[in-house]
Amino acid sequence: KNTVAGNNTFLGSASGVENTTGIQNTFVGSFAGFSNTTAGNNAFFGYLAGYGNTAANNSFFGASTGQANTTGYDNAFFGQGAGQANTIGYENSFFGKSAGLRNTVGFRNSFVGINSGINNTIGADNVFIGAAAGTDNQSGSENTFVGVFAGQKNLAGRNSFFGAGSGQENTTGTNNAFFGYVAGISNQIGRNNSFFGTNAGTFNNADFNSFFG
């Protein structure tokens, strides 16, 4: 259906088939960019990548990346299934297989690593770096988790966990800062804690504590 649009490249069965006036798009793979009509400056590579997309300035690389995206813009999804359920979420960066898989409306998130932020749906302004970092987070916002399994079970907001397994069991605790290997690993509901060092605050589940070393 391409009519007056220019500077487009569509390769693959039904890729870009609905495009009318969208310009400067590159869709490679069967059904890539299938629903795009007027939006431009998109790059979709992979089977079903950007299938439902109608927005601009997105980059989806990998099978099913950004498949459900409709009006979400300025997103970058790399890895099979990354950002697959995203619909209107914008300014997200998901790198790794299934990173941000279930994100729908969450915005300004950065998830790096396989399964990082996989269950996030509406949480915003989060940074999860490491395999399975922030796995269970759904609506928690303004969190920063760095390290494999860091903040894995977190459901809350405004936490900073740095180190493998740090804050792994945290669920509803907020305003915590854990730095070091498995720091605060058992904390679930404690809030306003600061733990620095390997195993710091291992068994803590209370509030307003500072442990060093």
Side-chain angles (χ1 to χ4, degrees):
K1 293 185 179 181
N2 198 70
T3 54
V4 298
N7 299 314
N8 292 302
T9 301
F10 304 148
L11 297 175
S13 176
S15 63
V17 70
E18 297 294 327
N19 195 77
T20 54
T21 59
I23 62 172
Q24 297 173 351
N25 294 297
T26 301
F27 304 153
V28 179
S30 296
F31 301 101
F34 178 88
S35 303
N36 195 80
T37 54
T38 62
N41 300 307
N42 293 297
F44 305 152
F45 289 76
Y47 174 67
L48 292 174
Y51 177 88
N53 185 78
T54 59
N57 303 315
N58 291 300
S59 297
F60 304 151
F61 288 75
S64 299
T65 54
Q67 181 178 342
N69 193 75
T70 52
T71 59
Y73 58 89
D74 293 338
N75 293 298
F77 304 153
F78 290 75
Q80 181 183 355
Q84 183 174 351
N86 192 79
T87 53
I88 64 175
Y90 58 90
E91 296 175 359
N92 293 297
S93 298
F94 303 153
F95 292 79
K97 182 180 179 181
S98 298
L101 176 71
R102 297 182 177 90
N103 191 79
T104 52
V105 301
F107 54 90
R108 289 194 302 267
N109 293 297
S110 296
F111 303 152
V112 180
I114 186 170
N115 294 332
S116 58
I118 189 173
N119 289 307
N120 192 81
T121 53
I122 63 175
D125 298 310
N126 293 298
V127 177
F128 302 156
I129 301 176
T135 299
D136 292 350
N137 193 79
Q138 296 177 345
S139 59
S141 298
E142 299 175 347
N143 294 295
T144 301
F145 305 152
V146 179
V148 60
F149 300 124
Q152 184 180 20
K153 298 182 179 180
N154 183 78
L155 301 174
R158 298 185 301 277
N159 290 299
S160 297
F161 304 151
F162 290 78
S166 57
Q168 185 172 355
E169 299 292 325
N170 192 79
T171 52
T172 59
T174 62
N175 298 309
N176 293 298
F178 303 156
F179 293 80
Y181 175 68
V182 299
I185 189 172
S186 298
N187 190 80
Q188 295 178 325
I189 61 175
R191 55 194 175 88
N192 296 295
N193 294 296
S194 297
F195 304 153
F196 295 83
T198 299
N199 297 315
T202 300
F203 301 107
N204 184 80
N205 208 18
D207 305 332
F208 298 101
N209 290 294
S210 296
F211 301 149
F212 295 86

